[in-house]
Amino acid sequence: MICLLLLTLPLLGNSVPLNQVKKEVKIVGGSDAQEGEWPWQISLRKNWNGFWRHSCGGSLIHPSWILTAAHCIVTSKNEPSDFMIQLRQQNLYENDHLLPLEEIIIHPNYNNHLEGFDMALLKLQSPVQLNKTIQIIRLPEAFQTFTPDMECWVTGWGNIESGVHLPSPYTLKKVQVPVMDALTCDHQYHLDSSVPESQRIILDNMICAGRAGKNPCQGDSGGALACKVQGSWLQAGIVSWGEFCGGFHRPGVYTRVTAFVDWINQHIQ
Ligand SMILES: *[C@@H]1O[C@H](CO)[C@@H](O)[C@H](O)[C@H]1NC(C)=O
């Protein structure tokens, strides 16, 4: 949603060279998710004048733990009570059953999304009872690679175009996005940029996916990039940043989950 954009950009303004300021990502070019698909998708809710409004996506990776983007959290004082979690819903806000958080762990190296480490773990006060509609997504092994031929999707309740909110009844959207190799992606981000070619923009802890017109948008941040590997879904990325909701020709940039599986497992075990 647009609020995420407004909340995060001022924070970035001070520390990041202007030519590198890219809009926070956010699903464009998608279609409605089917009931039963993406059972790990959650909605991160933030209190806005008494209303628990959707601010970001996230994924259930353990009955007590959610993975999301750090930039979804750092805009507040990181108080668990500032947030609530809604598990997989077909239509956002329909029969809400919000779950409180016990703990928030932001990756200690996180500064801003352009430096990577855009990841946070949220612990629920009580573990979720898994069932047919509520399930966890598996994390990959650290050695797992994700390639352009794999089937990967990103899902969310974010904007359908820059500045255009998802219309009522706010049905969860999905879009298939091809993974792009890091070198090509880095090259594309250097076009029309004053950052020298020798200075990487796409870092080792980031993974690119998507193409023009097929990308996440405001409000999708924190959601999972899910890829099918030998018949099961693995979380390859976390929606982190990109440009203008698919209007440009560059892919979206995601936190590369394989770079952090050890860190994640250390905390959730
Ligand atoms: C699964 O669990 C959720 C929340 O715990 C509940 O709202 C939902 O009705 C359950 N679904 C089924 C199919 O049991």
Side-chain angles (χ1 to χ4, degrees), residues 15-130:
S15 53
V16 179
L18 260 186
N19 59 40
Q20 282 199 11
V21 173
K22 309 249 160 51
K23 293 199 176 182
E24 296 291 338
V25 224
K26 329 154 218 216
I27 270 167
V28 176
S31 55
D32 286 357
Q34 302 299 302
E35 307 229 15
E37 284 183 314
W38 330 112
W40 49 79
Q41 174 80 49
I42 65 95
S43 160
L44 178 67
R45 303 292 184 83
K46 222 176 147 199
N47 197 327
W48 286 75
N49 304 322
F51 176 66
W52 291 100
R53 191 156 116 178
H54 173 81
S55 64
C56 269
S59 58
L60 193 66
I61 56 166
H62 175 283
S64 295
W65 290 94
I66 283 150
L67 190 57
T68 189
H71 81 258
C72 292
I73 303 292
V74 292
T75 49
S76 70
K77 299 173 308 264
N78 309 338
E79 290 291 336
S81 59
D82 290 343
F83 299 92
M84 285 285 214
I85 299 297
Q86 171 62 51
L87 300 175
R88 174 70 162 90
Q89 231 172 2
Q90 185 63 4
N91 299 327
L92 197 63
Y93 306 126
E94 203 173 85
N95 304 317
D96 271 0
H97 181 76
L98 304 177
L99 306 177
L101 291 178
E102 178 179 303
E103 189 185 355
I104 294 176
I105 305 174
I106 293 178
H107 195 288
N109 296 352
Y110 176 76
N111 252 326
N112 68 67
H113 63 282
L114 294 174
E115 294 175 21
F117 303 99
D118 190 4
M119 134 169 336
L121 284 167
L122 313 177
K123 189 177 191 199
L124 292 166
Q125 284 185 12
S126 28
V128 168
Q129 194 78 40
L130 303 179

Side-chain angles (χ1 to χ4, degrees), residues 20 22 25 109-119 146 179-183 185-186 189 200-209 225 236-242 251-260:
Q20 282 199 11
K22 309 249 160 51
V25 224
N109 296 352
Y110 176 76
N111 252 326
N112 68 67
H113 63 282
L114 294 174
E115 294 175 21
F117 303 99
D118 190 4
M119 134 169 336
F146 295 94
V179 167
M180 180 183 278
D181 74 88
L183 278 179
C185 185
D186 189 60
Y189 272 97
R200 298 266 301 272
I201 297 173
I202 305 303
L203 308 177
D204 287 339
N205 60 28
M206 301 175 185
I207 183 170
C208 298
L225 171 68
I238 303 168
V239 179
S240 179
W241 60 279
V253 185
Y254 299 74
T255 306
R256 183 185 288 273
V257 172
T258 52
F260 299 101

